[in-house]
Amino acid sequence: MKTVDLTTMSGLELLRWAAGQPSDRPSVGRLLGMTFDELDEGRVVLSLSTRPDFANPLGTVHGGIAATLLDSALGCAVHTTLPAGVGFTTLELKVNYIRAVAVDAGRLTAVGTTIHVGRRTATAEGRVTDERGKLIAHATTTCMILRPEGQPAA
């Protein structure tokens, strides 16, 4: 089996590579059943299907599911803009919930797009919609760009 050096891939290349791999590696995406539907520079579309395991005590989908979907889509949108060897971490995530979601609602889709990518920080925004296109939640994020020691902030 060929070994892949992930440090040589841009963020977009790494995500496209990861999206094409078997989902046997432990991750939050695997745990929730997330799939990459679109991967472009500065824009990512992720989705998942609701299920009873996502229920909160009231019997609807826990808000953390939408928040995790948004954090992933927005963070990945930022990641698609980064060069090889450069990473990021979420500094802040602001989520606005619009409506409750039934555990049998079907597919939820998150679209994340970058607003600004600078030397040290990046911002992005996104929305989660249900199968009918109804807005479930929207969010903004600020991410810190992580450059290897000694690499200049372009």
Side-chain angles (χ1 to χ4, degrees):
M1 179 191 278
K2 183 180 175 187
T3 302
V4 178
D5 184 359
L6 302 179
T7 65
T8 64
M9 295 182 184
S10 70
L12 181 58
E13 291 167 337
L14 189 146
L15 289 173
R16 285 182 174 160
W17 175 83
Q21 298 303 302
S23 62
D24 58 351
R25 197 170 127 222
S27 69
V28 69
R30 184 183 82 171
L31 179 67
L32 298 180
M34 279 189 231
T35 60
F36 284 104
D37 299 333
E38 294 179 35
L39 279 166
D40 295 304
E41 186 168 339
R43 183 174 188 276
V44 170
V45 180
L46 291 170
S47 63
L48 58 74
S49 292
T50 60
R51 60 184 194 248
D53 287 338
F54 295 168
N56 61 25
L58 299 174
T60 58
V61 172
H62 189 282
I65 299 299
T68 301
L69 195 54
L70 284 161
D71 187 39
S72 297
L74 277 57
C76 285
V78 167
H79 198 187
T80 65
T81 68
L82 301 178
V86 176
F88 75 96
T89 191
T90 300
L91 287 174
E92 176 267 341
L93 179 68
K94 167 68 170 96
V95 180
N96 291 284
Y97 298 97
I98 305 304
R99 62 180 37 88
V101 179
V103 294
D104 63 353
R107 206 96 180 130
L108 299 180
T109 300
V111 178
T113 56
T114 56
I115 298 169
H116 169 77
V117 180
R119 291 183 301 243
R120 294 186 177 94
T121 61
T123 57
E125 62 188 357
R127 300 163 58 98
V128 173
T129 55
D130 66 13
E131 289 182 346
R132 299 172 306 177
K134 291 272 196 181
L135 183 63
I136 302 303
H138 57 94
T140 56
T141 193
T142 303
C143 296
M144 180 170 54
I145 308 299
L146 304 171
R147 297 181 187 282
E149 202 61 36
Q151 183 182 32

